[in-house]
Amino acid sequence: MFPGIDLIEVERFARICKKRPAVLERLFTPAELAELGARSWESKAARFAGKEAVLKALGTGIGGGLSWHDVEITANEAGEPLVRLSDKAARVAAARGGDTMRLSLTHTKELAGAMAILGSGEWRVESGEWRVGSGEWGEWGVESGELRGMENMDSRLVTAAQMRRLDARAIADFGLPSAVLMENAALAVAAAAEKFPAVHAGLTVILAGKGNNGGDGLAAARQLAVRGRRTAVFFMGREEDARGDAALNLQLYQRMGGQVTYQGDEGAFALWQRALRHAALVVDALYGTGFHGRLPEAVRPWLQAADDCAAPVLAVDIPSGLNADTGTAEDLAARAAVTVTLGLPKIGLFTGQGPLCAGEVVLSRISLPETVLAAETYDTFLLTPAYVRSLLPARHPAGHKGTHGRGVLIGGSRGMSGAAVLAGQAALRCGIGLLQIVTAEAAEAAVNAGVTEATVWPAAGDSLSGEAWPVIAERLAGADACAVGPGLGQTESFAPLLGRILREGALPAVLDADALNLLARFKDIWPGKRDNLVLTPHPGEMARLRGCGAAEIQAERLTAARRAAEEWGAVVVLKGANTIVAAPDGRAFINPTGNAGLGTGGTGDVLTGAILAYLAQGLPALAAACCAVYLHGAAGDCLRETHGDSGYTALEVAGALPAARRRLERV
């Protein structure tokens, strides 16, 4: 076998390619360029490192008679790297006695790396054999195979039933043995466990159930033991209760001398408590995606003791006690520092109590091929960096203020001018070309002072009323999008104007705050279904619009947002922790960005301004809402780094929007 290894500095690679775009055509074939498209610079650098590694494995490198175009690296249906050699390169390989090239690609934000091995077989990657992250040669995330971090998170979210179908299809149709899937899950869990430094010298205790989730935990215990780590398994049942592959892994663990305590053993719970006092890590492999309802009374003390101990908890697939579909926990659920979710991420990890229970979510595909995953229909998605980055509007180098979108913001009244200011600032920070603000005469001075880059048009009165229509109509005539609501007030005479704005104009629009309250009060002004309309209610506003209580909305946020979008024929942004963006066609997107610091007055107005900016720049309503929601939360995350979870203001959130976008573009 002949190895080849290459490392590339991502920033330097990106800088050279941006300065001289023609370089990309020298490095990559047309097929590679078409596949790489808008992928991140880290991915492109990793692909180039792969070409360099292959050339080194061939023994030539560049300058040895081969060019970069003699090596083509694309992806197979499972997303794994596929190496194709030119006839010339193939002859070089044959001369070295090799006809197989195994390749692994990996990257961080700073470095991209690749390892190639020239051997014998077919010209394609053998998935997993040289994977990073299973202890072979490093601790970076792998571009194909195991995925770490939100940047590499799959955007498709699944229910428990969908995941069962995918597993069954992989086993029955694709021919993947269930024991292989469990072993891959175990490798991922063991790799994640070893990221905790104390595990290397301390004790890892595994709480294992009777089913497949427990089997994953048992197999992970064996993998850790093979690596020389101290482990102890506590099995919630009798030995004969273990089923299928879980029973096999229980036997294998015991055969290698693994320590197993059964729930019914004398003094078992006291041993559990003692083990927790000495534990470096607790692996929660009790219940998986099939769990719903309340935890059995016989199990609750065991899980409560794990939650109460000082050691961090690593959950397998989903924290025990958490509903995989809704993110609800009826009483007790494990509180994990890390959750290794398997196959595809589960909806419940990102909504309801899921984010509080799951900690950092790490995805392992467990070798499920893309052909199997693609056969399922998905309607719930995670707003991932890669997806949002693909939506962002391009800024033409020759553009000007007239080509970057013209927006009209309608709002502001006596005592509530700040809402219009915040929305206006956010629109400007998100790149709108021209902003006009129609506000009440009583708020004109404050709005003028707060948003000096905008043109402000006052209408008589302390708040906008029916008399404001001539001013509004004139401004809308040349606009690309409008926003109504921040600081508007609920003057009854404005309701017909709101209806007129929505019915007579074809402009993309976003409604917030008092515009939503007027819609709730005056049902007759509803415009009918409009796919270029975005509604942004918080739970209280949604409850008023739906005629129910806020608690009912919060209990089933995903369902409430999806139903509202389908019924109203508009994009609905249900604000709150893990904001949901729902489309009229039934799709829903869950936002993972943001933190508790955003729970302060005015941040909703900032979101409205951001949506207005992206609508004005030509994004469809759904894309505009997704971009704004993600970056709004990301701006809060930027501020969290310096302020913590409280103490920053809505105006600072607006100010952090460009930094959030820049950070996203650099990922």
Coordinates of all heavy atoms in Angstrom, one line a residue, residues 312-370:
P312 N -20.9 14.6 33.3 CA -21.7 14.9 32.2 C -22.4 13.7 31.6 O -21.9 12.6 31.8 CB -20.7 15.5 31.2 CG -19.4 14.9 31.6 CD -19.4 14.7 33.1
V313 N -23.5 13.9 30.9 CA -24.3 12.8 30.3 C -24.2 12.9 28.8 O -24.3 14.0 28.2 CB -25.8 12.9 30.8 CG1 -26.6 11.9 30.0 CG2 -25.9 12.8 32.3
L314 N -23.9 11.8 28.2 CA -23.9 11.6 26.8 C -25.1 10.8 26.4 O -25.2 9.6 26.8 CB -22.6 11.0 26.3 CG -22.3 11.0 24.8 CD1 -20.8 10.8 24.5 CD2 -23.1 9.8 24.1
A315 N -26.1 11.3 25.6 CA -27.3 10.6 25.3 C -27.1 9.9 23.9 O -26.5 10.5 23.0 CB -28.5 11.5 25.2
V316 N -27.6 8.7 23.8 CA -27.5 8.0 22.6 C -28.8 8.2 21.8 O -29.9 7.8 22.2 CB -27.3 6.5 22.8 CG1 -27.4 5.7 21.5 CG2 -26.1 6.2 23.6
D317 N -28.7 8.8 20.6 CA -29.8 9.2 19.7 C -30.7 10.3 20.2 O -31.0 11.3 19.5 CB -30.7 7.9 19.4 CG -31.3 8.1 18.0 OD1 -30.9 9.0 17.2 OD2 -32.3 7.3 17.7
I318 N -31.3 10.1 21.4 CA -32.2 11.2 22.0 C -32.2 11.0 23.5 O -32.1 9.8 24.0 CB -33.6 11.1 21.4 CG1 -34.4 12.3 21.8 CG2 -34.3 9.8 21.8 CD1 -35.6 12.5 20.9
P319 N -32.2 12.0 24.3 CA -32.2 11.9 25.8 C -33.4 11.1 26.2 O -34.6 11.3 25.7 CB -32.3 13.3 26.3 CG -31.7 14.1 25.2 CD -32.1 13.5 23.9
S320 N -33.2 10.1 27.1 CA -34.3 9.3 27.6 C -35.4 10.2 28.3 O -35.1 11.1 29.0 CB -33.8 8.3 28.6 OG -33.0 7.3 27.9
G321 N -36.6 9.9 28.0 CA -37.8 10.6 28.5 C -38.3 11.7 27.6 O -39.3 12.3 27.9
L322 N -37.5 12.0 26.5 CA -37.9 13.1 25.6 C -38.7 12.5 24.4 O -38.2 11.5 23.8 CB -36.7 13.8 25.1 CG -36.9 15.1 24.3 CD1 -37.4 16.2 25.2 CD2 -35.6 15.6 23.6
N323 N -39.8 13.1 24.0 CA -40.5 12.6 22.8 C -39.8 13.1 21.6 O -39.5 14.2 21.4 CB -41.9 13.2 22.9 CG -42.8 12.7 21.8 OD1 -42.5 12.8 20.6 ND2 -43.9 12.1 22.2
A324 N -39.5 12.1 20.7 CA -38.6 12.4 19.5 C -39.4 13.2 18.5 O -38.7 13.9 17.7 CB -38.2 11.1 18.9
D325 N -40.7 13.3 18.6 CA -41.5 14.0 17.6 C -41.8 15.4 18.0 O -41.9 16.3 17.2 CB -42.8 13.3 17.3 CG -42.6 11.9 16.6 OD1 -41.5 11.6 16.2 OD2 -43.5 11.1 16.6
T326 N -42.0 15.6 19.3 CA -42.5 16.9 19.8 C -41.6 17.6 20.7 O -41.7 18.8 21.0 CB -43.8 16.7 20.6 OG1 -43.6 15.9 21.8 CG2 -44.9 16.0 19.7
G327 N -40.5 16.9 21.2 CA -39.6 17.6 22.2 C -40.2 17.8 23.5 O -39.6 18.5 24.3
T328 N -41.3 17.1 23.8 CA -41.9 17.2 25.2 C -41.4 16.1 26.1 O -41.1 15.1 25.7 CB -43.5 17.2 25.1 OG1 -43.8 15.9 24.4 CG2 -44.0 18.3 24.3
A329 N -41.4 16.5 27.4 CA -41.1 15.5 28.4 C -42.2 15.6 29.5 O -42.4 16.7 30.1 CB -39.7 15.7 29.0
E330 N -43.0 14.6 29.7 CA -44.1 14.7 30.6 C -43.7 14.8 32.0 O -44.5 15.4 32.8 CB -45.0 13.4 30.4 CG -45.7 13.4 29.0 CD -46.9 12.5 29.0 OE1 -47.3 12.0 30.1 OE2 -47.4 12.2 27.9
D331 N -42.6 14.3 32.4 CA -42.1 14.5 33.8 C -40.6 14.7 33.8 O -40.1 15.8 33.9 CB -42.6 13.4 34.7 CG -42.2 12.0 34.2 OD1 -41.6 11.9 33.2 OD2 -42.5 11.0 35.0
L332 N -39.9 13.6 33.7 CA -38.4 13.7 33.8 C -37.8 13.3 32.5 O -38.2 12.4 31.8 CB -37.9 12.7 34.9 CG -36.4 12.5 35.1 CD1 -35.8 13.8 35.6 CD2 -36.2 11.4 36.1
A333 N -36.7 13.9 32.1 CA -35.9 13.6 30.9 C -34.5 13.8 31.2 O -34.1 14.6 32.0 CB -36.3 14.4 29.7
A334 N -33.6 13.0 30.6 CA -32.2 13.1 30.8 C -31.7 14.5 30.3 O -32.2 15.1 29.4 CB -31.4 12.1 30.1
R335 N -30.8 15.1 31.0 CA -30.2 16.4 30.6 C -28.7 16.1 30.2 O -27.8 15.9 31.0 CB -30.1 17.4 31.8 CG -31.5 17.9 32.2 CD -32.1 18.8 31.2 NE -33.4 19.3 31.6 CZ -33.5 20.6 32.0 NH1 -32.4 21.3 32.1 NH2 -34.7 21.1 32.4
A336 N -28.6 16.0 28.9 CA -27.3 15.6 28.3 C -26.4 16.8 28.0 O -26.9 17.9 27.6 CB -27.5 14.8 27.0
A337 N -25.1 16.6 28.1 CA -24.2 17.6 27.6 C -24.0 17.5 26.1 O -23.8 18.5 25.3 CB -22.8 17.4 28.2
V338 N -24.1 16.2 25.6 CA -24.0 15.9 24.2 C -25.0 14.8 23.8 O -25.1 13.9 24.6 CB -22.5 15.4 23.8 CG1 -22.5 15.0 22.3 CG2 -21.5 16.5 24.0
T339 N -25.6 14.9 22.7 CA -26.4 13.9 22.2 C -25.9 13.4 20.8 O -25.8 14.3 19.9 CB -27.9 14.3 22.0 OG1 -28.4 14.6 23.3 CG2 -28.8 13.2 21.4
V340 N -25.6 12.2 20.7 CA -25.2 11.6 19.4 C -26.4 11.0 18.7 O -26.9 10.0 19.1 CB -24.1 10.5 19.5 CG1 -23.8 9.9 18.2 CG2 -22.9 11.1 20.2
T341 N -27.0 11.8 17.8 CA -28.2 11.3 17.1 C -27.8 10.5 15.9 O -26.8 10.8 15.2 CB -29.2 12.5 16.8 OG1 -30.5 12.0 16.5 CG2 -28.6 13.3 15.6
L342 N -28.6 9.5 15.5 CA -28.2 8.5 14.6 C -29.1 8.5 13.3 O -30.3 8.6 13.4 CB -28.3 7.1 15.3 CG -27.5 7.0 16.6 CD1 -27.9 5.7 17.3 CD2 -26.0 7.2 16.4
G343 N -28.5 8.4 12.2 CA -29.2 8.3 10.9 C -29.5 9.7 10.4 O -28.7 10.3 9.6
L344 N -30.5 10.3 10.9 CA -30.9 11.7 10.7 C -31.3 12.4 12.0 O -31.8 11.7 12.9 CB -32.0 11.8 9.7 CG -31.7 11.6 8.2 CD1 -32.9 11.7 7.3 CD2 -30.6 12.5 7.7
P345 N -31.2 13.7 12.2 CA -31.6 14.3 13.4 C -33.1 14.3 13.6 O -33.9 14.3 12.7 CB -31.1 15.8 13.3 CG -30.9 15.9 11.8 CD -30.6 14.6 11.2
K346 N -33.5 14.2 14.9 CA -34.9 14.0 15.2 C -35.5 15.4 15.5 O -34.9 16.3 16.1 CB -35.1 13.1 16.5 CG -34.2 11.8 16.4 CD -34.4 11.0 15.2 CE -33.6 9.8 15.2 NZ -32.1 10.0 15.0
I347 N -36.8 15.6 15.1 CA -37.5 16.8 15.3 C -37.4 17.3 16.8 O -37.2 18.4 17.1 CB -38.9 16.7 14.9 CG1 -39.0 16.5 13.3 CG2 -39.7 18.0 15.3 CD1 -40.4 16.2 12.8
G348 N -37.7 16.3 17.7 CA -37.8 16.7 19.1 C -36.5 17.2 19.7 O -36.5 17.8 20.8
L349 N -35.4 17.0 19.1 CA -34.1 17.6 19.6 C -34.0 19.1 19.5 O -33.3 19.7 20.2 CB -32.9 17.0 18.9 CG -32.7 15.5 19.1 CD1 -31.6 15.0 18.1 CD2 -32.3 15.2 20.5
F350 N -34.9 19.7 18.6 CA -34.7 21.1 18.3 C -36.0 21.9 18.6 O -36.1 23.1 18.3 CB -34.4 21.2 16.8 CG -33.1 20.6 16.5 CD1 -33.0 19.4 15.9 CD2 -31.9 21.2 16.8 CE1 -31.8 18.8 15.6 CE2 -30.7 20.6 16.5 CZ -30.6 19.4 15.9
T351 N -37.0 21.3 19.2 CA -38.2 22.0 19.6 C -38.6 21.6 21.0 O -38.2 20.6 21.5 CB -39.3 21.8 18.6 OG1 -40.4 22.7 18.8 CG2 -39.8 20.4 18.6
G352 N -39.5 22.4 21.6 CA -40.0 22.0 22.9 C -38.9 22.1 23.9 O -38.0 23.0 24.0
Q353 N -38.8 21.0 24.8 CA -37.7 20.9 25.7 C -36.4 20.3 25.2 O -35.4 20.1 25.9 CB -38.2 20.1 26.9 CG -39.3 20.8 27.7 CD -40.0 19.8 28.7 OE1 -41.0 19.3 28.5 NE2 -39.3 19.6 29.8
G354 N -36.5 19.9 23.9 CA -35.4 19.2 23.3 C -34.0 20.0 23.4 O -33.0 19.4 23.9
P355 N -34.0 21.3 23.1 CA -32.7 22.0 23.2 C -32.1 22.0 24.6 O -30.9 22.0 24.8 CB -33.0 23.4 22.7 CG -34.2 23.2 21.8 CD -35.0 22.1 22.4
L356 N -33.0 22.0 25.6 CA -32.6 22.0 27.0 C -32.0 20.7 27.4 O -31.1 20.6 28.3 CB -33.8 22.4 27.9 CG -34.3 23.8 27.8 CD1 -35.6 24.0 28.7 CD2 -33.3 24.9 28.1
C357 N -32.6 19.6 26.8 CA -32.2 18.3 27.2 C -31.1 17.7 26.4 O -30.3 16.9 26.9 CB -33.4 17.3 27.1 SG -34.8 17.7 28.2
A358 N -30.9 18.1 25.2 CA -30.0 17.4 24.2 C -28.6 18.0 24.3 O -27.6 17.2 24.0 CB -30.5 17.6 22.8
G359 N -28.4 19.2 24.8 CA -27.1 19.8 24.7 C -26.6 19.9 23.3 O -27.3 20.2 22.4
E360 N -25.3 19.7 23.1 CA -24.7 19.8 21.7 C -25.2 18.5 21.0 O -25.0 17.4 21.4 CB -23.2 19.8 21.8 CG -22.6 19.9 20.4 CD -21.1 19.8 20.4 OE1 -20.5 19.9 21.5 OE2 -20.5 19.6 19.3
V361 N -25.7 18.7 19.8 CA -26.2 17.6 19.0 C -25.2 17.2 17.9 O -24.7 18.1 17.2 CB -27.5 17.9 18.3 CG1 -28.0 16.7 17.5 CG2 -28.6 18.2 19.4
V362 N -24.7 16.0 17.9 CA -23.8 15.4 16.9 C -24.5 14.4 16.1 O -25.2 13.5 16.7 CB -22.6 14.8 17.7 CG1 -21.6 14.2 16.7 CG2 -21.9 15.9 18.5
L363 N -24.3 14.5 14.8 CA -25.0 13.5 13.9 C -24.0 12.5 13.4 O -22.9 12.8 12.9 CB -25.6 14.3 12.7 CG -26.2 13.4 11.6 CD1 -27.4 12.6 12.1 CD2 -26.6 14.3 10.4
S364 N -24.4 11.2 13.4 CA -23.7 10.1 12.8 C -24.7 9.4 11.8 O -25.8 9.0 12.2 CB -23.2 9.1 13.8 OG -22.6 8.0 13.1
R365 N -24.3 9.3 10.6 CA -25.2 8.7 9.6 C -25.2 7.2 9.7 O -26.0 6.6 9.0 CB -24.7 9.1 8.2 CG -25.0 10.5 7.8 CD -26.4 10.7 7.2 NE -26.5 10.1 5.9 CZ -26.3 10.7 4.7 NH1 -25.9 12.0 4.8 NH2 -26.4 10.1 3.6
I366 N -24.3 6.6 10.5 CA -24.2 5.2 10.7 C -24.3 4.4 9.4 O -24.8 3.3 9.4 CB -25.3 4.6 11.7 CG1 -26.7 4.9 11.2 CG2 -25.1 5.2 13.1 CD1 -27.8 4.2 12.1
S367 N -23.7 5.0 8.4 CA -23.5 4.4 7.0 C -24.8 4.2 6.3 O -24.9 3.5 5.3 CB -22.8 3.0 7.1 OG -23.6 2.0 7.6
L368 N -25.9 4.9 6.7 CA -27.1 4.9 5.9 C -26.9 5.6 4.6 O -26.5 6.7 4.5 CB -28.3 5.6 6.6 CG -28.9 4.8 7.8 CD1 -30.0 5.7 8.4 CD2 -29.4 3.5 7.5
P369 N -27.0 4.9 3.4 CA -26.7 5.5 2.1 C -27.8 6.5 1.7 O -28.9 6.5 2.1 CB -26.7 4.3 1.2 CG -27.6 3.3 1.8 CD -27.4 3.5 3.3
E370 N -27.3 7.5 1.0 CA -28.2 8.6 0.5 C -29.4 8.0 -0.3 O -30.5 8.6 -0.3 CB -27.5 9.6 -0.3 CG -28.3 10.8 -0.7 CD -28.9 11.6 0.4 OE1 -28.3 11.6 1.5 OE2 -30.0 12.1 0.2

